[in-house]
């Protein structure tokens, strides 16, 4: 069920009402769990089978880990991680590896692999499952002070893995941060103003910016791009950068605002990433919940930066490559991750061996930020275009289409719908640079204006980009 559909608003209203009815208050947990199952199974009930299995085995492993006299905790922890990764690999990557090693059609015995549908949200709820078993192994007593009955653990695990605001596309929430929040919620404690502002900004980014840009950036693909000038092609790259930010940041904000309505706090997922002046900073600001998950559950267990520079480079490269592949079952996503990994490695190497620092002024800060943004935007081509060949053709067209006439109407609309994203980031930069001079709260009139634009200027409804991952 899409957040930007009429059906979702009806679903949300009914769920919210039942959740806070006084005579149903003791069934709050059951209410939101049942609503989350309905939300996930709305278009395809068969998806529930795998999700229920994921909840069952992760809860069972946590139950064993949290049993004081159980001796084989490390073994069941390993089993839990392997189960989660095996399911993710089978449903998401078996077709990719079969195609790579067996050819496009595979052998006659394995052709069925190409027909396996990708369960929506599997990347996110698998990461939740891993976080759950690892966190309870590491700090179980800090999360649950006493033994939790198995039925209650199943219900709480269902909420953590299946909580509908973040189920399909995040933010990824660590178990140690979510489970302590599971308790009875009161209507009077809802942060209405904060939730409303977050939701308005989220829907503005998604429906007004991302959806309108989506209606324009389709020409970035072949054969449409072959007929546009270099200027148009450059603006399309930047327009898609604005679109993917608005789409994913919009989804995250809607998820965070919706969770507030039910008394739960989800982590911030974007912190003005396009003002980053280096690539490390970009990954501290972009998809923060994924970056921190990869750091805590992959980079640090691999040794992080504690075992010398060479191991640090290997760990960083491996984490970014796997993080890229996590986004999609195509090699171009891994190459996208490798591209970011190489940029991080080069940046780290130069900082350690050639500690030359540019003067700290606005001009050089702008140059560094512009270079990071340009690099990130070019790498987004691997996200938007279907294969390497098309991406390479696009880069060649930047040089060969100099003499073509420019579609000024398309360029004008690309700039018009991209500008709010860059103004938003400028506000973030100014707020961080001069906090004492910046109003912490945008006026209510500003949010009312955004709401006005949502009603009058939303684009054709489109699925969230990260649904495919």
């Amino acid at each position: 069920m899409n957040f930007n559909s009429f059906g979702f608003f009806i679903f949300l209203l009914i769920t919210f009402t039942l959740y806070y009815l006084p005579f149903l208050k003791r069934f709050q947990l059951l209410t939101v769990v049942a609503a989350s199952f309905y939300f996930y199974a709305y278009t395809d009930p068969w998806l529930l089978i795998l999700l229920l299995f994921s909840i069952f085995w992760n809860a069972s492993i946590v139950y064993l880990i949290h049993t004081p006299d159980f001796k084989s905790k490390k073994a069941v922890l390993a089993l839990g991680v392997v189960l989660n990764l095996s399911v993710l690999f089978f449903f998401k990557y078996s077709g990719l590896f079969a195609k790579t090693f067996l050819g496009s059609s595979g052998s006659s015995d394995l052709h069925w692999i190409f027909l396996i549908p990708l369960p929506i949200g599997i990347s996110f709820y698998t990461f939740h499952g891993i976080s759950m078993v690892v966190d309870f192994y590491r700090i179980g007593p800090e999360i649950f002070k006493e033994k939790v009955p198995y039925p209650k653990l199943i219900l709480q695990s269902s909420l953590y893995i299946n909580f509908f605001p973040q189920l399909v596309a995040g933010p990824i929430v660590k178990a140690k941060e979510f489970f302590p929040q599971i308790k009875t919620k009161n209507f009077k404690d809802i942060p209405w103003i904060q939730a409303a502002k977050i939701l308005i900004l989220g829907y503005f980014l998604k429906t007004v910016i991302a959806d309108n840009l989506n209606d324009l950036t389709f020409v970035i693909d072949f054969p449409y791009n072959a007929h546009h000038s270099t200027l148009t092609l450059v603006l399309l790259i930047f327009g898609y950068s604005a679109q993917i930010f608005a789409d994913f940041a919009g989804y995250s904000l809607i998820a965070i605002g919706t969770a507030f309505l039910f008394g739960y706090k989800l982590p911030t997922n974007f912190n003005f990433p396009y003002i980053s002046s280096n690539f490390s900073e970009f990954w501290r600001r972009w998809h923060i919940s994924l970056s921190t998950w990869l750091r805590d559950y992959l980079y640090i267990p691999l040794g992080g930066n504690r075992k010398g520079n060479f191991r640090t480079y290997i760990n960083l490269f491996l984490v970014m490559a796997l993080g890229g592949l996590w986004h999609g079952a195509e090699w171009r996503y891994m190459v996208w991750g490798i591209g970011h990994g190489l940029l991080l490695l080069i940046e780290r190497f130069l900082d350690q061996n050639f500690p030359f620092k540019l003067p700290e002024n606005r001009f050089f800060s702008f140059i560094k930020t512009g270079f990071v943004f340009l690099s990130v935007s070019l790498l987004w081509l691997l996200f938007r275009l279907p294969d390497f060949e098309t991406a390479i053709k696009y880069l060649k067209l930047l040089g060969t289409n100099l003499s073509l006439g420019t579609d000024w109407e398309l360029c004008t609309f690309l700039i018009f719908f991209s500008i709010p994203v860059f103004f938003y980031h400028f506000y973030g930069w100014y707020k961080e640079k001069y906090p004492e001079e910046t109003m912490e709260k945008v006026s209510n009139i500003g949010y009312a204006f955004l709401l006005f634009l949502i009603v009058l200027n939303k684009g054709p409804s489109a699925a969230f980009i990260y649904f495919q991952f």
Side-chain angles (χ1 to χ4, degrees), residues 9 17 28 36 40 70 81 97 171 209 212 238-239 286 360 365 418 441 454:
F9 295 112
T17 302
Q28 277 187 344
S36 296
Y40 186 67
F70 184 74
V81 174
F97 282 88
I209 304 303
N212 276 300
F238 296 148
W286 177 274
E360 292 295 332
S365 177
S418 298
K441 300 178 181 179
I454 292 170

Side-chain angles (χ1 to χ4, degrees), residues 387-406:
D387 50 51
F388 300 116
E389 184 180 358
T390 309
I392 292 171
K393 282 182 178 178
Y394 193 95
L395 295 177
K396 290 180 178 178
L397 290 173
L398 293 175
T400 60
N401 287 13
L402 287 167
S403 60
L404 291 184
T406 298

Side-chain angles (χ1 to χ4, degrees), residues 26 40 49 103 107 113 161 176 194 229-230 233 237 247 295 300 309 324 332 350 353 372 379 410 460 464:
R26 62 193 181 102
Y40 186 67
I49 296 175
S107 71
I113 288 178
I161 292 176
K176 62 185 178 183
Q194 185 180 9
S229 69
T230 298
L233 295 178
I237 293 174
D247 194 280
R295 180 198 66 198
I300 292 176
N309 283 333
R332 60 190 170 100
L350 292 177
N353 296 280
V372 172
L379 283 169
L410 174 60
F464 288 89

